[in-house]
Amino acid sequence: EHLHPNLPGYFLIADSFYDALLNNQLASNPQPITTAEAWRNRPVTTAEEYYGYAQIQALKSDFPFRPSPVPIMLSEPADWQQQLGKAYFEKRISWLDMMQQLHAGYAKRKNLNLELKTAALIAQALPHDPLSNEQAGDLLYKARRDAEALHFYQRAKRAGSATSNLDTRIAILKDRLTKK
């Protein structure tokens, strides 16, 4: 025990499983993506990466890596995202607070890709929350990522969303997807 892969290591393991599924035709209707694209779209934020780094430093500061505990030495966060990761590591904020602050920060900075990513991660973590799922759906709808938007809109509806135009958007997306 105490041997765990880092983020690239877990990615390599996942990528190997993905390749095996494709090569052995174990996935129905596969839509292959490249390893580079999968890495770019990994469902992990910069804040979570800093949190993971901090967790590893904490693990290595005690037995079995040290005969007696030593203070944890963390590098200073390089940006606002890593600062949020550090705050989460120090238990000053929750994971959801961190993600909501990241989402707001990306929206403020007009970084649509990371705004989409955090909205989707929040919605994935809260599958029964209609608002989170609808917000993720809205961003994906605007980005014309139809299949993903439909997924979140349908979850929002199942979770009880009462938004008046949700059924219309679901119908539009289904129509777009059948025409592709």
Side-chain angles (χ1 to χ4, degrees):
E1 189 50 22
H2 291 294
L3 297 175
H4 301 283
N6 58 12
L7 184 61
Y10 277 117
F11 181 84
L12 181 62
I13 293 168
D15 197 45
S16 297
F17 277 106
Y18 177 77
D19 287 342
L21 289 170
L22 288 179
N23 293 334
N24 293 298
Q25 300 174 341
L26 297 173
S28 59
N29 194 21
Q31 298 177 0
I33 62 171
T34 66
T35 299
E37 184 180 354
W39 178 255
R40 278 193 308 277
N41 294 317
R42 65 193 181 279
V44 179
T45 65
T46 301
E48 291 170 310
E49 288 181 17
Y50 187 91
Y51 171 80
Y53 150 77
Q55 288 285 79
I56 296 299
Q57 296 310 306
L59 180 69
K60 290 171 35 180
S61 71
D62 203 349
F63 180 83
F65 299 97
R66 305 277 184 192
S68 59
V70 297
I72 300 169
M73 302 299 288
L74 298 177
S75 60
E76 276 302 308
D79 57 26
W80 66 277
Q81 299 160 99
Q82 288 186 356
Q83 287 172 351
L84 287 171
K86 186 175 183 185
Y88 176 47
F89 172 74
E90 293 172 344
K91 297 181 177 24
R92 292 184 283 123
I93 60 174
S94 69
W95 177 87
L96 185 57
D97 289 334
M98 176 181 70
M99 296 305 285
Q100 289 171 332
Q101 289 181 47
L102 286 168
H103 184 261
Y106 296 138
K108 178 181 171 185
R109 290 164 177 82
K110 300 189 184 333
N111 187 330
L112 182 59
N113 286 336
L114 291 176
E115 185 181 1
L116 280 166
K117 182 183 210 172
T118 52
L121 288 170
I122 291 167
Q124 292 288 16
L126 303 172
H128 303 294
D129 179 45
L131 181 60
S132 296
N133 283 277
E134 197 166 336
Q135 287 174 340
D138 286 344
L139 286 169
L140 290 159
Y141 183 86
K142 288 176 191 169
R144 307 259 323 172
R145 290 169 53 179
D146 296 344
E148 294 167 277
L150 179 60
H151 167 75
F152 287 109
Y153 279 153
Q154 288 173 328
R155 280 195 358 183
K157 185 174 180 174
R158 284 192 306 272
S161 175
T163 302
S164 60
N165 69 347
L166 189 58
D167 286 331
T168 303
R169 288 200 172 181
I170 289 172
I172 289 168
L173 290 169
K174 284 181 176 180
D175 185 55
R176 280 187 200 165
L177 290 166
T178 57
K179 290 179 180 177
K180 284 185 178 180

